[in-house]
Structure formats: structure tokens, C-alpha cells
Amino acid sequence: MATTADDVRRIALALPGAIEKLAWGMPTFRLEERGRIFASLDDDDRVMGVKCPKEERAELIAAEPDKFFLREGHDDHYAWLRVRLEALEGDDELRAILLDSWRQAAPRKLLDAHPELKDPQG
């Protein structure tokens, strides 16, 4: 079954401190504290934007170009990556991507309050 915007919303809002707020006419998922955005849905609900270190983007896109891409002229200067929802392989992959983005946006205090969500590799 294809991943939907409702799946993104359900998983993103289950993360600690997450709220949904409209910005630029699109749903964004952010942390209450300071409002840092960790995910967004494009206006067609078929693409999600997430935080991704610039140095990792090219490798992800090269490995899975049907899944990951940049919106040229918009994502070029930001640590941001686009994900085609239909290319995801279910809730586990969606949760892993959203959790990674959440970790990048979360302040240390929030990360420390949820050790079960810390990155086991870092």
C-alpha cells in the first residue's frame, strides 16, 4: 500500500514536541520549541521535504533517484531533501526518515529527554 500524506502526519505528530502548522500554504511539521521545521508536505501531498545534511544528499539521490530529489532553485542552499511518498516501502522506512530529520531539528534538551530516540550511530 502506498504511503500517503496521512501516514506522514500520523508518524510525524507522534514524535515528541511535534506540531503541524501551515506555512507557505503547505503543512509543515515542526518542534514547538523555536518552531524548527523537520518535515513538510508539498501542495500535492505526494512529496515530503525533510532535513538532510548537504553532504549526504547527492549519495541518496544517486542511490535512489526515484525516491529522493532536490527541488532546483529552492533546496540548493538548504540542508533539505525531497522524498516521493509513493516510492517509500512502508511505515518503517517513513518513520526512519522522519525520525532522522526530527533528530537534526531537535534541541539537545529534547533529545536528552528521549534517549530511546537517539541515533544509535551517533
Side-chain angles (χ1 to χ4, degrees):
M1 184 143 173
T3 299
T4 67
D6 287 339
D7 296 322
V8 172
R9 187 170 278 109
R10 173 176 49 83
I11 293 172
L13 292 175
L15 293 168
I19 61 170
E20 182 175 344
K21 183 177 179 182
L22 276 180
W24 313 286
M26 297 178 287
T28 63
F29 302 92
R30 54 183 73 213
L31 299 170
E32 292 177 40
E33 190 173 326
R34 292 190 232 135
R36 292 181 182 168
I37 297 173
F38 69 91
S40 66
L41 286 167
D42 284 10
D43 53 9
D44 64 2
D45 283 350
R46 294 174 40 203
V47 172
M48 164 178 77
V50 292
K51 293 185 77 58
C52 180
K54 287 183 186 181
E55 60 274 8
E56 294 178 18
R57 298 185 312 185
E59 184 177 336
L60 287 167
I61 293 167
E64 297 185 84
D66 292 339
K67 187 178 293 182
F68 301 112
F69 69 102
L70 296 179
R71 177 152 296 140
E72 289 185 33
H74 184 76
D75 299 331
D76 303 340
H77 304 293
Y78 300 99
W80 204 248
L81 181 69
R82 304 293 166 154
V83 183
R84 291 180 181 89
L85 297 181
E86 66 187 18
L88 293 175
E89 298 169 18
D91 277 3
D92 289 345
E93 184 177 27
L94 174 60
R95 185 176 193 283
I97 291 169
L98 284 169
L99 182 55
D100 185 60
S101 186
W102 177 89
R103 284 181 189 123
Q104 292 174 62
R108 172 77 45 213
K109 186 168 108 179
L110 186 58
L111 289 169
D112 289 345
H114 297 279
E116 74 281 6
L117 298 179
K118 283 192 176 179
D119 187 351
Q121 299 174 357

